[in-house]
Amino acid sequence: MKYVALVIPLLFLALFCYALYRKVKLYDCFTEGVKEAVPLVLSLFPYLAAILMLSELFERSGLSGYLTSALSPVFGALGIPPELSKLVLLKPFSGSGSTALLSEILGTYGADSYIARCACVSYGSSETVFYILAVYFAGVKRKKPLLPVLISLFANFAAIVLGCFLCRFL
């Protein structure tokens, strides 16, 4: 395993040597790339800031708690343990928040429990939909996000239901 850690540094070294051989001005190329990145970062910032603020507002307003308790019976009927309701609702908004919640679930129920297996599968099979779509729609001129958001949320939820179903047999 120690040799695997050398792959990326060796690739950089090989690329550097090849650029020297081809007489490429590395520093000039690097600064040109940075110049192109600044407008991209500036165009992404408002969308990312909005998503981060909305996810924090969702949690702090108490809406997350009310929605979690209201949807727990529905999730239970679909085979998702009610203890995972908050994780299912939080994952599309916040990756770091759902990581903390997953850690809490693993600590509470143990890593080998059914609930922990379902939590890990739910965490791994879903994505932070609103963050990814904010990044995507920042660079697109035609912004009609409703259908992609609905499709992404449905795919996330279907993956979670299927994952919890499969965890029953594993």
Side-chain angles (χ1 to χ4, degrees):
M1 286 303 271
K2 294 179 183 179
Y3 298 114
V4 175
L6 295 174
V7 171
I8 292 179
L10 288 176
L11 282 174
F12 276 113
L13 183 63
L15 183 63
F16 181 73
C17 290
Y18 181 71
L20 285 176
Y21 172 74
R22 300 280 304 214
K23 296 183 171 76
V24 173
K25 295 180 180 180
L26 291 174
Y27 187 74
D28 293 339
C29 290
F30 177 76
T31 56
E32 281 299 314
V34 170
K35 284 180 190 175
E36 293 175 12
V38 171
L40 175 66
V41 170
L42 290 176
S43 70
L44 284 177
F45 182 74
Y47 297 98
L48 294 178
I51 291 302
L52 293 173
M53 284 186 235
L54 286 175
S55 64
E56 187 66 23
L57 183 64
F58 180 68
E59 183 65 32
R60 298 249 176 151
S61 69
L63 183 60
S64 172
Y66 293 127
L67 208 52
T68 299
S69 61
L71 291 177
S72 289
V74 175
F75 289 164
L78 292 172
I80 301 172
E83 296 85 359
L84 302 184
S85 298
K86 191 169 184 177
L87 179 66
V88 171
L89 292 175
L90 185 62
K91 180 64 176 177
F93 291 100
S94 172
S96 58
S98 56
T99 302
L101 193 56
L102 176 64
S103 178
E104 182 182 314
I105 291 169
L106 292 174
T108 303
Y109 297 101
D112 292 331
S113 67
Y114 169 70
I115 292 172
R117 286 194 314 267
C118 286
C120 289
V121 169
S122 299
Y123 179 84
S125 65
S126 59
E127 186 55 67
T128 52
V129 172
F130 294 102
Y131 179 80
I132 297 298
L133 289 175
V135 171
Y136 174 74
F137 282 111
V140 175
K141 289 182 178 38
R142 226 177 96 202
K143 294 177 177 35
K144 292 187 179 182
L146 181 61
L147 188 59
V149 166
L150 292 176
I151 291 170
S152 300
L153 289 175
F154 178 76
N156 267 358
F157 191 69
I160 291 169
V161 170
L162 180 62
C164 289
F165 176 74
L166 291 175
C167 281
R168 288 185 186 179
F169 303 108
L170 298 177

